[in-house]
Amino acid sequence: MIVKRWVRGMGGVVVAGVLAGAAGCEAPPAPRAAPGPTAPTKPVRTAQPGTETGPACPEGGVRLLETDGNAAMGLRVAGFQLVNCGAQPYALEGYPQVSLRDDRNAPVEVTVEHGAEGITTGVPHIEAAPQPVTLAPGQAASFWMVWRNLVTDGTVTAATASVVEVEPRPGAPRLSLRTAHPVDLGNTGKLGIGPWTAIAR
């Protein structure tokens, strides 16, 4: 069995330009340079919560990140992290509420189930029993998704999602994340998810 592994990376290019005057002519004042693009930075943990660099902390006080995943003979596993970027503890229990959207931001019809039953077996972090998790500022929890990329009926259009929406706990603001790799469900219409799990620091 061949297993492919992917890991998201970040990078950027900064471009600077120089304006030179023509020889023998008085050069007009150079225009103020526009700020160049900057590479996004991975959050840096500091002694004071809420002061990490990177994008501003979302309204709910937590940030959703894609971690890594595996693909093997049509079986897909994808991981996500929820980082407490706020200044208060953040309590989680059970499973996130997950939905999918396609490239046009239209909802993707999918049945989301707890665990991996009917999809695969032997995935401990998806089949684990849910436990209460409280994140101190700067701490993170993870959850995993599993599905199969199968087309079993040629009359049913295969579904592919490029955006994962997560409600971390009931009533919390939903977080939307465009994934590096699509959730290619084929026409199975089924997605399994695992519970929130604390990440040891």
Side-chain angles (χ1 to χ4, degrees):
M1 178 175 64
I2 299 175
V3 177
K4 298 179 182 178
R5 179 176 180 86
W6 62 73
V7 179
R8 294 187 65 192
M10 295 181 291
V13 179
V14 177
V15 179
V18 178
L19 181 66
C25 300
E26 185 177 350
R32 179 178 293 180
T38 57
T41 56
K42 187 178 279 190
V44 177
R45 240 169 272 292
T46 65
Q48 297 181 351
T51 60
E52 57 187 15
T53 62
C57 189
E59 175 189 357
V62 287
R63 180 180 296 121
L64 183 66
L65 305 172
E66 184 179 9
T67 54
D68 54 13
N70 291 320
M73 297 181 67
L75 181 67
R76 309 284 196 251
V77 179
F80 299 86
Q81 282 188 14
L82 188 77
V83 181
N84 182 355
C85 53
Q88 302 296 326
Y90 195 92
L92 298 165
E93 188 167 1
Y95 299 82
Q97 293 290 323
V98 176
S99 58
L100 304 175
R101 291 184 175 270
D102 63 18
D103 277 334
R104 297 170 297 175
N105 205 37
V108 172
E109 207 172 308
V110 60
T111 299
V112 179
E113 299 183 356
H114 296 167
E117 186 177 355
I119 300 174
T120 189
T121 57
V123 191
H125 42 277
I126 292 178
E127 297 169 333
Q131 301 288 338
V133 175
T134 298
L135 304 179
Q139 289 185 330
S142 67
F143 82 93
W144 292 78
M145 305 192 319
V146 62
W147 69 95
R148 283 195 179 275
N149 176 24
L150 289 177
V151 177
T152 57
D153 186 346
T155 66
V156 179
T157 303
T160 299
S162 53
V163 175
V164 173
E165 289 187 332
V166 173
E167 184 178 305
R169 60 187 184 187
R174 295 185 72 81
L175 300 169
S176 181
L177 180 66
R178 183 170 292 275
T179 58
H181 300 273
V183 183
D184 49 353
L185 297 167
N187 54 24
T188 63
K190 189 173 182 180
L191 180 70
I193 63 171
W196 288 116
T197 304
I199 297 176
R201 296 297 182 189

